[in-house]
Amino acid sequence: MRSRQEAVVFGATGTQVRRLASGETGPADGAPCFDAGAHSGESAISEHLGCLEARLYHSLNALSPDAQALAARARQQQRFDDAIRAELIGLDVRTRMGDSVAAKQELLLLLHRVEAGSALAGRIKMVLSTTCDRLGERTEAGRWIRDALADWPEGQQPGWRAEALMVSALNGLSRHHYDYALVHHAVAEVTEHGNAFLLASTLANFAEVSAECGDLSASAQFADSAIALLRRHPELTAPLTLDSIARSRLALGELLAARYCLLTALELEETLRCTDVQGDPWLTFAEVELASGDPAAAWQLLEHPRRQSWASKCSWTHSRELKLRAEILAELGRWQEAYQAIVQHLAMYEGLRSVEGDRVLAEFNTAQIAAEERRRAAEFEKLALTDSLTGLPNRRRAERWLASLGERPVSLAIIDLDHFKRINDEHSHDAGDEVLRRVGRLLADCGSGSEILLARLGGEEFVQLRTDADRAAAITAAQRLLAELRALPLDEVAPGLRITASVGIAFGNSADPSALLRAADQCLYEAKRAGRDQLIVTD
């Protein structure tokens, strides 16, 4: 059933197998090239750098000249971080195309030109990690991605961080040590913050690596998710995304489904080219043909002129090809050549898959899982203490802050918007929510810091806590806030809309927050009864 569905999606026919084997080619749509000369302005540079980074997972066509043009423009505008970001795209393209040794040296030099601990430094380290992985330097690859994530600045470039987390999860999976906790964290981050091309590639990559680890159930789930995404968004389809899905289907024994994926992949490859030397749909297709009992067709695919014209190999792909050549040669009865190929494969594989390398990567993976769990726990705690509408701390956070002070003199002001129900009734609840958001921003701008906490108690009530008990300062701050609330522009929410507030201020000891709240609330009640738009202070 799955094979029929993929036939509909990818449009493959049995005739296409014979056309490819005989050297015939078919049309394919290429990715549009970015015209760097057609755009200007600071925001345009950053926007188009993001577009180029997304295209790394779809097609490398014209990426290098586009990145060079953007780098030149960024330098003219003295946007040096953007210039380095554009240079990094060019180096990423080179390492994906097989020039990893030289690119690695330039990446190390590039790293010294950026601020340590910045998001840009983290992205360079991520590219260094993938470069080392293509060179077969697994332990060094693990160290680079570990350092990238360990130093990542909080909240900066979440899309880059999601991509780095995906790379970390891929590096940490092996046949003997795999824990899908980090994989699921990575998928969640890429889904939330990554671009669509990255998400399609991520799901397909995890399908392929899960199959290599022998977890066919997980592999099938990731492949199904990738195919569902491509059905909804066919423009995301790329040769190596389909290649990874095909490798998952091959491991599952679904040869027809794998063949459908690969036929489309090779048609796309003719125009888009492949995006990474770590993937090779021709090689995967040869594996499928061998599994189907046709070693001659498999050999023909390996030796196809189009493959030979572009195929730069990374260490992993080369090792995989040597193993497949040995198997095909053995099936063809060419025993001596098969023996030589398997000896070469084993020598290379031993260097790539060392026990020590597996151990180190397993340790990196375990440490990263723990770090990611701590980070997400901190995020959940922050969400639990934050008002979702205004972004201000909530009542629980205010109570914790008071409890952390021990016994200190404090002032507590409760700010309540006057006649707020009318706004909801006359202008809609959406308008009321927007008013609360704008009041929250105004409160945040009026004063914050280690000695002040602003929070939303609930509804239209807000609170300002101050660790100084300076009566005059608290009253002056409240009077200024009332004036700013009267002047708050709300015409965009509703024409002519204006608001006022009533404030009750109490002074006391942080050790008794309940008494403080009661006293401030009583003052607020007095301010309401006295006519609103004023403040009342405890004696």
Side-chain angles (χ1 to χ4, degrees):
M1 186 65 175
R2 183 181 287 145
S3 301
R4 286 187 193 148
Q5 291 172 339
E6 288 168 18
V8 173
V9 175
F10 302 125
T13 66
T15 308
Q16 289 171 300
V17 180
R18 294 187 292 276
R19 290 176 58 227
L20 284 164
S22 63
E24 296 179 50
T25 57
D29 295 327
C33 293
F34 162 61
D35 181 6
H39 305 273
S40 60
E42 295 183 359
S43 61
I45 291 177
S46 295
E47 178 182 347
H48 288 294
L49 283 170
C51 291
L52 297 191
E53 287 163 352
R55 277 175 50 194
L56 284 164
Y57 288 92
H58 186 253
S59 172
L60 302 182
N61 289 348
L63 272 183
S64 289
D66 288 352
Q68 289 171 4
L70 283 172
R73 176 162 295 147
R75 283 192 288 269
Q76 288 174 354
Q77 298 181 9
Q78 297 187 331
R79 295 172 61 84
F80 299 114
D81 277 359
D82 279 345
I84 290 174
R85 184 177 168 186
E87 291 178 48
L88 180 59
I89 292 171
L91 289 171
D92 201 352
V93 170
R94 283 174 54 189
T95 186
R96 288 169 185 266
M97 294 180 69
D99 188 17
S100 296
V101 175
K104 178 182 176 182
Q105 298 308 311
E106 294 186 43
L107 285 165
L108 291 170
L109 294 174
L110 199 65
L111 186 59
H112 290 297
R113 291 167 51 193
V114 302
E115 179 185 354
S118 64
L120 187 53
R123 185 160 182 85
I124 294 172
K125 290 177 180 178
M126 184 199 74
V127 178
L128 273 166
S129 175
T130 56
T131 300
C132 290
D133 190 51
R134 291 182 186 98
L135 292 170
E137 300 167 352
R138 299 182 69 221
T139 303
E140 189 174 354
R143 289 199 180 98
W144 279 120
I145 199 63
R146 178 197 61 182
D147 292 349
L149 289 166
D151 296 338
W152 206 278
E154 183 68 29
Q156 292 188 25
Q157 293 286 6
W160 287 359
R161 189 187 182 282
E163 188 176 353
L165 198 62
M166 181 269 285
V167 170
S168 178
L170 284 174
N171 282 357
L173 288 176
S174 72
R175 187 173 299 278
H176 303 295
H177 305 282
Y178 58 91
D179 186 329
Y180 285 96
L182 189 58
V183 169
H184 294 308
H185 282 314
V187 172
E189 290 291 308
V190 171
T191 302
E192 183 175 0
H193 300 295
N195 62 72
F197 290 112
L198 175 62
L199 178 57
S201 179
T202 295
L203 293 170
N205 282 339
F206 285 141
E208 177 181 347
V209 177
S210 299
E212 290 177 358
C213 292
D215 192 335
L216 300 185
S217 175
S219 180
Q221 290 176 10
F222 286 124
D224 287 344
S225 297
I227 290 171
L229 179 62
L230 297 182
R231 285 199 187 106
R232 295 193 302 272
H233 303 284
E235 69 279 5
L236 304 179
T237 308
L240 291 192
T241 302
L242 295 177
D243 178 42
S244 293
I245 294 171
R247 285 176 59 74
S248 169
R249 296 307 194 212
L250 172 61
L252 291 162
E254 300 174 5
L255 302 184
L256 186 57
R259 197 178 266 114
Y260 284 137
C261 291
L262 291 164
L263 285 165
T264 307
L266 293 183
E267 289 192 349
L268 288 173
E269 175 268 333
E270 184 178 9
T271 298
L272 300 182
R273 303 292 182 244
C274 289
T275 52
D276 200 321
V277 292
Q278 283 190 307
D280 184 347
W282 294 93
L283 180 57
T284 304
F285 209 158
E287 291 174 332
V288 171
E289 292 300 284
L290 181 62
S292 301
D294 193 346
W299 187 263
Q300 195 171 9
L301 286 164
L302 286 182
E303 299 297 321
H304 196 285
R306 209 167 87 208
R307 177 176 186 261
Q308 297 302 319
S309 68
W310 64 261
S312 296
K313 301 181 182 68
C314 72
S315 300
W316 299 104
T317 309
H318 192 194
S319 172
R320 194 176 133 215
E321 180 177 347
L322 286 170
K323 180 175 181 291
L324 180 60
R325 284 183 179 275
E327 293 171 349
I328 294 172
L329 289 166
E331 287 291 326
L332 295 173
R334 295 159 62 176
W335 306 109
Q336 183 63 32
E337 294 170 89
Y339 174 76
Q340 292 171 350
I342 200 64
V343 168
Q344 289 178 282
H345 161 71
L346 291 173
M348 179 171 285
Y349 188 81
E350 185 178 357
L352 293 174
R353 285 287 191 186
S354 67
V355 174
E356 178 64 14
D358 277 352
R359 184 191 64 78
V360 171
L361 285 178
E363 290 178 358
F364 287 168
N365 199 41
T366 301
Q368 187 58 50
I369 289 171
E372 194 62 21
E373 294 285 2
R374 288 193 298 270
R375 189 186 73 83
R376 292 181 73 83
E379 283 186 355
F380 288 136
E381 183 179 18
K382 183 179 178 180
L383 287 173
L385 298 174
T386 302
D387 175 57
S388 60
L389 181 65
T390 64
L392 292 173
N394 59 18
R395 184 184 188 113
R396 184 183 300 176
R397 175 71 182 92
E399 291 172 347
R400 282 196 184 185
W401 192 74
L402 276 172
S404 71
L405 297 177
E407 292 193 25
R408 293 181 63 178
V410 295
S411 67
L412 187 153
I414 297 179
I415 303 112
D416 186 273
L417 303 185
D418 295 328
H419 302 300
F420 184 76
K421 186 175 182 298
R422 291 181 186 173
I423 298 176
N424 287 332
D425 292 343
E426 296 175 8
H427 302 289
S428 81
H429 285 278
D430 287 342
D433 287 348
E434 181 58 26
V435 168
L436 291 173
R437 278 191 286 267
R438 296 191 180 203
V439 169
R441 289 196 291 271
L442 174 64
L443 287 171
D445 293 340
C446 283
S448 60
S450 59
E451 301 300 309
I452 301 174
L453 180 77
L454 295 152
R456 182 185 178 200
L457 289 182
E460 63 270 25
E461 278 194 345
F462 299 84
V463 65
Q464 184 185 64
L465 295 162
R466 303 167 64 99
T467 55
D468 62 65
D470 186 327
R471 187 183 186 88
I475 293 172
T476 299
Q479 289 172 333
R480 184 170 62 249
L481 173 62
L482 288 175
E484 292 186 359
L485 284 170
R486 295 184 200 108
L488 184 64
L490 295 170
D491 289 318
E492 291 180 0
V493 180
L497 179 61
R498 292 293 180 269
I499 58 169
T500 61
S502 303
V503 180
I505 305 178
F507 299 88
N509 194 300
S510 60
D512 193 356
S514 297
L516 269 173
L517 279 167
R518 284 196 302 272
D521 200 51
Q522 181 62 36
C523 291
L524 176 65
Y525 176 76
E526 295 292 337
K528 294 282 188 183
R529 192 168 64 175
R532 295 181 169 82
D533 191 20
Q534 58 187 288
L535 65 90
I536 299 291
V537 186
T538 54
D539 295 334

